Amino acid sequence: MRQFVLIVTVLLLALVLWSQLNDSPLVPPEPRIIAVEGYGEFEVLPDIIRLHFNVSSLHDSDPAVAKTEVDQHASAAVRALMKLGVKEEDITSSALNVSIQEDYNRNDGSRTRRHRVQRNVEAVLRDTSLYNKALQALVDSGVSEISHIQPEVSNLDELKQKALADAARKAREQADFLAAQFDAEVARVHQIGRQDIQRHFGMQEMMARASKDGDAPEPPTHDFKPAKVKISSNVFVEFELE
């Protein structure tokens, strides 16, 4: 019986001692956390413009005839761009696409099969001042479609870091502002969460007209500019409060 009482007493003393150690100031308290999101954004003018265009032709029976027409217009477009100062190595073309196009006539239910030939071309303008002249040259050369225009910047990595730094600065400003509302101060960074960096480019309306020999002079068209490139970044940060 005495041994049982002794064992129970030792266990109770151990429990009391453990509870006191657990409440000891040696154990650091959980930090107070404030979580914020910072967002940075700015726009820059592009210094590179990629023009994607294609030349296509249809023929009822002979794809070689369609190919000859495609080659003529594509070559004329390339020569026109090079005449403006675009380097030959900045003009690339994918493989020639030859396919069968089938058209259905709803009126009589007949089907017409024709040979379709298309060549896709990409031209890189490293002189953005050639933008409108290049568009006009492509239209005048008889291209079928200007399918995509992509403004770019050559120092994208540098601009991404700038946007991220701006987002981090604004995150700290938000944390300081919120902490001040509760009579607290921001001490240090607790954790940096997900970072998201994006590049956006808009499309502005463009106008290019093929020239007509013998027509009366027309007033000059508006000189449209390529859209600006927008770089944006947001970052999630947790700060500890004092």
Side-chain angles (χ1 to χ4, degrees):
M1 184 64 180
R2 291 181 179 178
Q3 290 181 348
F4 176 75
V5 173
L6 179 61
I7 292 173
V8 172
T9 303
V10 170
L11 290 175
L12 289 174
L13 290 174
L15 181 61
V16 172
L17 180 61
W18 177 83
S19 64
Q20 290 179 349
L21 290 176
N22 191 48
D23 294 335
S24 171
L26 296 178
V27 179
E30 289 293 327
R32 295 185 300 165
I33 301 298
I34 181 172
V36 295
E37 177 183 1
Y39 182 77
E41 177 184 283
F42 61 93
E43 293 182 335
V44 294
L45 289 172
D47 57 2
I48 296 175
I49 300 176
R50 296 183 183 273
L51 300 177
H52 299 261
F53 63 93
N54 64 67
V55 180
S56 61
S57 179
L58 293 170
H59 195 272
D60 293 338
S61 58
D62 192 350
V65 176
K67 179 181 180 301
T68 298
E69 183 178 354
V70 166
D71 288 342
Q72 290 175 347
H73 288 293
S75 298
V78 170
R79 287 194 300 268
L81 291 175
M82 292 177 62
K83 186 176 180 180
L84 290 175
V86 181
K87 295 182 179 179
E88 185 176 3
E89 57 265 29
D90 286 333
I91 303 175
T92 57
S93 172
S94 62
L96 194 71
N97 298 320
V98 181
S99 60
I100 297 294
Q101 177 173 307
E102 188 173 272
D103 298 324
Y104 175 71
N105 191 327
R106 294 184 178 181
N107 295 326
D108 57 11
S110 63
R111 296 181 181 274
T112 303
R113 292 166 57 88
R114 294 187 293 176
H115 296 275
R116 178 183 179 87
V117 179
Q118 177 172 308
R119 183 180 295 279
N120 300 315
V121 184
E122 176 186 332
V124 180
L125 302 182
R126 302 189 186 278
D127 181 359
T128 58
S129 66
L130 299 176
Y131 177 65
N132 282 276
K133 292 181 179 179
L135 291 179
Q136 188 68 58
L138 292 178
V139 173
D140 293 345
S141 301
V143 301
S144 303
E145 179 186 19
I146 300 176
S147 56
H148 186 54
I149 299 174
Q150 181 177 343
E152 292 185 356
V153 287
S154 56
N155 60 335
L156 181 59
D157 291 338
E158 176 186 342
L159 295 176
K160 284 181 177 179
Q161 291 183 350
K162 180 180 177 182
L164 189 57
D166 190 36
R169 178 181 59 82
K170 291 181 178 178
R172 179 57 190 252
E173 290 177 354
Q174 289 191 52
D176 288 336
F177 174 79
L178 289 175
Q181 308 309 305
F182 300 95
D183 297 326
E185 292 184 1
V186 175
R188 62 186 65 84
V189 174
H190 178 72
Q191 178 176 308
I192 300 177
R194 181 175 60 86
Q195 302 138 37
D196 186 17
I197 303 175
Q198 297 183 0
R199 181 196 64 178
H200 317 267
F201 54 85
M203 297 299 297
Q204 291 185 349
E205 183 182 3
M206 296 161 299
M207 178 166 54
R209 272 196 317 239
S211 61
K212 300 178 180 179
D213 295 335
D215 289 351
E218 297 182 0
T221 59
H222 178 71
D223 188 18
F224 287 97
K225 300 293 191 300
K228 291 183 179 180
V229 179
K230 181 189 297 182
I231 311 293
S232 64
S233 172
N234 57 322
V235 59
F236 300 87
V237 187
E238 292 181 353
F239 292 95
E240 295 181 12
L241 298 177
E242 291 183 346

